[in-house]
Amino acid sequence: PACLLELFVSSGRTSLNRVNKVKSCMIKSTALKRESPYKQIIPTNMPGEKGHIFIGADEATWGKEGTGWVTYDPEFECTGGSTDPADKVCPYKLKESDTLGLSTTGWDDRLLHLNIASFRDPLCPRTLKYLFTKAKRPFSIRVRILQQNIPSEDKDCLEEYCNMMAQLRSETGGGDTSKGGPAGDDCPHRNQVFIHQVHATEAAGPTFARGLIGKDMHEAYVKNEISPQDFCMSTDSHMDFEPEWDQSMVDMWDLTENEYAVLSTYVANIDQLGKNLNGVNEVPHLCMVTFTSQVRTHATKCARNLPKPKLTNAIWGAGLSFSKCHAELKVPVDPHTPGIFDGEEFNRAARFWTYGYDIYTPHRVYVLHDYPGSQHNPVTSSWGHGTFSAMDVKNSYWRLNTLLDMPGGESDQDIAMQLKQSKYGLGDRRTLDQLIQFSGIDLRHKKVTIDGKNRCGNIQWVPFTEHPKGVNFIPKFNETTEEPLDVPYDKTSVWYDPHIDGVGAGLVSRRAPLKDEEDSEEASARIAKEEEAHAEHKKEAEMLAGGNIHEEHAALAAALLAEDGGQLSQHESEHREIISNAAASVVIAEKMENNEVKQFPPLLRGVMDSGIPKGRFHLSPIKYMSKHGVEHLPVQVQIVVVVMILGICPAVIGTAGIGSHKKRTAKSKKRG
């Protein structure tokens, strides 16, 4: 699905198309010239200013005050706009007692652990090469790759990286890492890369892959190979990096002055490598969602000339996540959600935030994404053909819905609470109600706003009580049941129940009642509610299965029809929704492709196994059909059309043939 961007544009060519996971927020530099007639709405930031944030153009949803540009006020994050010093409450810095003998800032004696999930990605070796050769401290980096390959068809990421480094040495004569390493080193930094091999046919989506990496990290933590005070970064397998990116990321994280900070965004495209975008350090800014079958990050905004990373309303992007390792160890990706794409990011964001972590928009770009190279390779997008079933996906959505109190989750509150308190559940420092108020997202009714207030601009940090055992404390859970072992809860926990925790551990059961212990009337009522919810979800899934009927797709289609040779009309150039420069790069690459385009519709949810294909499936629609083309029909209808054609063709051939072939044709038709 496309991620729309709302921006003002004054000039320049902009091409619109459906783009899968657009991850940036940029406009043409010509829009910044002082002679622009739209300079009153596009700030021409000068050095020394605090920076500006574009918060949107949708007045129907957010009102006039919730659109346009706002000036960034870093102090607002602590004060909420109050001038009373007593009202100033800022995030927690690292305490001396929690340093584990390390410095409070910087990364001396710390390691940087880089986690990468790769699915049959030929760009994975290049990513390894770039991250080591462009790092300031390559020997302080550890890489864990969840490699999902077909060995007979795909190149091994590590082995091909070694070949690339050998080629670099032959070109430069060897030397330090940036030159391919010393002449006697066959493969520099090879022992710093850990590969977890999984056959591609066993793949079950991004959360499955990242969840396995989380388990590997926990094992390394138990072996003292990872310190909670190390730095951890998660990203994709098709990335590039600015020189000394590792030091720059640590320095940027330090600017948050928040031990619980997580830097995250949809990173810019690789064509912006080495550039100060538009001369104002323009960066993408995540702050909005939409609802498909789940919560999906949506409508990326942008910010300019920010003096430091900006606090967001708990919107996290999987393409880049940078924090201290205690965040990754406390909030590992849930591996029990096979087939999930939409829903992955906000689920993780909610869990981070309720554990006390805060999501920040990076104010500079040091890590970049190869969108054209990755998103137009049908092989790397075929993970949906894995071993998971439609029922697995249905259970995944049930799990996500239960965790966030969304429709379609568990109606039994005791069972729901048991999941929320489990290993991959919510944290106990902030509540889900606080998250809803802070993010502004009405999860319980699947609405993008609870009050019509835009939270893309200046927002205030939400205080919480730190865990009594400190920031480095990693909760323990039963390996089988995933129930918490650190009980009873202390009084600072949002899970604290005086009727249970106040009487001592083990004296009162925290476990939910078994189904056969339920009162028959209560059980009947619960089952009726669940069946009603499942019916609603099935109806929604059937609508979503068409793949082309999301509102943003309709908006993009309308914009495409208005294009005239790729040029914007005078009227359109004044004010409209557009995609980013990163998206434009993807579109250009797409137009250079062959006419056949692979599409992967979203998995169905809330439907039974019967009649539903296993995993994702793809069609190859004719690219330039009119709006009445077959590809605009729902997927189920397209399949029926194909079946009819396959059935009619043999019949026509049989009719035209001689009688002796009729029986053979009929049998062929029956087999078809």
Side-chain angles (χ1 to χ4, degrees):
C3 289
L4 274 180
L5 272 244
E6 300 173 297
L7 292 175
F8 296 101
V9 180
S10 64
S11 63
R13 179 180 180 275
T14 304
S15 177
L16 292 179
N17 206 335
R18 291 189 307 151
V19 181
N20 185 30
K21 276 288 180 187
V22 172
K23 300 186 175 179
S24 187
C25 174
M26 318 296 168
I27 63 174
K28 296 293 184 181
S29 59
T30 51
L32 297 171
K33 294 181 179 179
R34 289 189 178 277
E35 64 268 28
S36 167
Y38 306 102
K39 61 185 177 183
Q40 69 274 16
I41 57 174
I42 302 180
T44 54
N45 298 52
M46 300 298 292
E49 292 192 13
K50 292 182 178 179
H52 291 83
I53 308 158
F54 180 75
I55 63 173
D58 182 6
E59 291 190 13
T61 302
W62 310 109
K64 190 171 184 180
E65 292 184 355
T67 59
W69 295 85
V70 297
T71 300
Y72 174 50
D73 180 6
E75 287 296 312
F76 192 95
E77 294 174 6
C78 294
T79 66
S82 172
T83 57
D84 186 346
D87 293 334
K88 186 173 182 177
V89 183
C90 295
Y92 295 105
K93 297 181 182 180
L94 180 62
K95 297 176 181 177
E96 288 290 343
S97 58
D98 288 329
T99 61
L100 302 181
L102 304 172
S103 61
T104 55
T105 59
W107 67 316
D108 290 342
D109 299 318
R110 288 182 169 93
L111 297 176
L112 170 54
H113 301 269
L114 192 61
N115 301 326
I116 297 174
S118 173
F119 182 85
R120 305 191 67 188
D121 193 350
L123 300 180
C124 180
R126 190 187 72 178
T127 299
L128 273 182
K129 174 187 172 183
Y130 287 160
L131 75 87
F132 279 121
T133 58
K134 296 186 179 184
K136 182 177 182 178
R137 291 175 48 181
F139 289 94
S140 297
I141 296 174
R142 302 292 182 268
V143 184
R144 289 173 178 80
I145 299 177
L146 195 287
Q147 180 170 266
Q148 302 161 102
N149 275 1
I150 296 179
S152 60
E153 300 178 16
D154 306 317
K155 293 182 179 180
D156 180 81
C157 184
L158 181 57
E159 296 305 320
E160 188 62 21
Y161 155 76
C162 293
N163 294 336
M164 288 182 174
M165 294 299 279
Q167 177 65 30
L168 181 59
R169 280 195 305 278
S170 68
E171 295 171 355
T172 63
D176 61 17
T177 300
S178 65
K179 297 180 180 180
D185 191 343
D186 291 338
C187 187
H189 310 291
R190 181 180 189 130
N191 62 350
Q192 297 168 226
V193 180
F194 171 77
I195 302 288
H196 184 154
Q197 300 276 8
V198 174
H199 200 281
T201 57
E202 299 298 317
T207 57
F208 165 79
R210 288 190 249 272
L212 290 182
I213 294 177
K215 291 183 177 181
D216 293 337
M217 288 193 65
H218 181 75
E219 291 178 5
Y221 165 69
V222 172
K223 297 176 183 177
N224 293 320
E225 296 172 356
I226 295 179
S227 166
Q229 280 299 309
D230 286 343
F231 284 99
C232 279
M233 177 171 137
S234 296
T235 191
D236 293 331
S237 55
H238 29 263
M239 312 301 285
D240 202 346
F241 305 83
E242 294 287 355
E244 299 190 354
W245 64 272
D246 49 342
Q247 185 65 55
S248 297
M249 291 298 295
V250 171
D251 292 342
M252 181 162 59
W253 184 89
D254 276 341
L255 286 176
T256 65
E257 297 185 296
N258 183 351
E259 179 66 12
Y260 294 84
V262 179
L263 303 176
S264 185
T265 190
Y266 284 168
V267 296
N269 190 45
I270 57 172
D271 63 358
Q272 294 161 24
L273 186 68
K275 297 179 181 178
N276 172 359
L277 190 66
N278 291 333
V280 289
N281 295 302
E282 190 169 286
V283 295
H285 173 46
L286 305 183
C287 54
M288 287 189 178
V289 302
T290 188
F291 285 94
T292 56
S293 53
Q294 271 294 314
V295 192
R296 178 163 60 85
T297 305
H298 173 71
T300 310
K301 302 301 181 287
C302 65
R304 297 176 177 155
N305 282 343
L306 296 178
K308 61 185 290 290
K310 184 204 173 298
L311 179 68
T312 75
N313 56 329
I315 308 299
W316 179 83
L320 176 66
S321 183
F322 187 94
S323 64
K324 286 284 184 71
C325 285
H326 52 70
E328 286 285 338
L329 293 168
K330 273 185 219 170
V331 193
V333 174
D334 184 357
H336 304 310
T337 50
I340 290 298
F341 192 77
D342 284 5
E344 171 200 4
E345 293 175 324
F346 195 78
N347 171 272
R348 189 96 188 278
R351 295 173 57 227
F352 269 134
W353 198 82
T354 53
Y355 267 100
Y357 292 95
D358 300 293
I359 316 299
Y360 287 80
T361 287
H363 73 302
R364 296 293 183 269
V365 175
Y366 301 120
V367 181
L368 302 98
H369 191 287
D370 188 347
Y371 291 100
S374 63
Q375 295 187 342
H376 295 278
N377 182 345
V379 171
T380 61
S381 302
S382 62
W383 61 265
H385 299 289
T387 58
F388 57 94
S389 67
M391 182 59 72
D392 292 331
V393 178
K394 177 181 177 181
N395 292 334
S396 296
Y397 282 125
W398 170 87
R399 187 176 177 90
L400 298 183
N401 291 335
T402 299
L403 201 69
L404 299 178
D405 280 359
M406 288 174 56
E410 177 59 56
S411 59
D412 186 304
Q413 293 303 306
D414 291 325
I415 296 175
M417 183 59 71
Q418 193 171 335
L419 176 61
K420 291 176 182 179
Q421 293 177 344
S422 68
K423 182 175 182 178
Y424 300 103
L426 299 176
D428 70 337
R429 299 294 104 187
R430 292 167 171 148
T431 68
L432 184 60
D433 286 334
Q434 286 179 298
L435 172 64
I436 291 172
Q437 289 297 320
F438 177 68
S439 67
I441 302 167
D442 188 351
L443 298 169
R444 295 184 176 110
H445 300 93
K446 296 184 70 172
K447 296 180 179 179
V448 297
T449 177
I450 56 173
D451 52 16
K453 295 180 180 179
N454 189 325
R455 288 168 171 77
C456 291
N458 295 304
I459 54 176
Q460 186 176 14
W461 177 72
V462 176
F464 65 93
T465 303
E466 286 191 288
H467 197 284
K469 295 184 180 180
V471 69
N472 298 316
F473 172 69
I474 310 300
K476 297 178 181 178
F477 298 87
N478 184 290
E479 290 297 321
T480 303
T481 66
E482 297 184 349
E483 292 179 316
L485 297 178
D486 302 300
V487 289
Y489 292 110
D490 70 274
K491 291 185 178 181
T492 67
S493 171
V494 301
W495 301 134
Y496 177 78
D497 184 341
H499 300 293
I500 299 177
D501 302 292
V503 298
L507 297 183
V508 179
S509 174
R510 194 180 295 277
R511 184 181 290 274
L514 298 175
K515 291 292 183 182
D516 58 4
E517 295 176 356
E518 285 185 297
D519 178 84
S520 59
E521 293 184 3
E522 292 180 354
S524 298
R526 174 180 57 78
I527 293 172
K529 288 182 180 179
E530 290 176 353
E531 290 178 347
E532 181 181 356
H534 290 162
E536 287 297 318
H537 299 155
K538 181 175 181 179
K539 185 184 301 182
E540 179 187 357
E542 289 171 348
M543 293 178 63
L544 290 175
N548 294 332
I549 60 174
H550 290 159
E551 293 180 2
E552 60 266 34
H553 290 184
L556 285 170
L560 277 170
L561 291 174
E563 284 187 348
D564 181 15
Q567 300 294 325
L568 297 175
S569 68
Q570 176 66 29
H571 174 71
E572 288 176 315
S573 66
E574 295 177 0
H575 179 207
R576 64 180 288 185
E577 295 185 348
I578 68 166
I579 57 178
S580 66
N581 280 3
S585 299
V586 178
V587 172
I588 292 171
E590 180 177 294
K591 288 187 175 181
M592 294 174 64
E593 286 186 323
N594 295 328
N595 287 346
E596 187 179 67
V597 179
K598 303 292 183 182
Q599 293 187 4
F600 296 86
L603 282 159
L604 307 184
R605 68 163 192 158
V607 291
M608 302 304 292
D609 283 318
S610 58
I612 300 299
K614 221 175 192 182
R616 293 193 177 197
F617 52 100
H618 68 274
L619 301 171
S620 299
I622 299 174
K623 190 171 183 181
Y624 296 111
M625 265 191 170
S626 72
K627 66 180 180 180
H628 300 293
V630 173
E631 83 278 11
H632 291 275
L633 296 172
V635 172
Q636 297 95 325
V637 178
Q638 295 184 42
I639 293 173
V640 171
V641 171
V642 172
V643 172
M644 290 176 62
I645 292 173
L646 293 175
I648 292 172
C649 289
V652 172
I653 294 172
T655 302
I658 60 175
S660 61
H661 292 285
K662 287 184 179 181
K663 187 174 182 180
R664 185 189 311 168
T665 303
K667 290 181 179 179
S668 299
K669 178 181 176 183
K670 188 174 182 180
R671 286 196 298 268

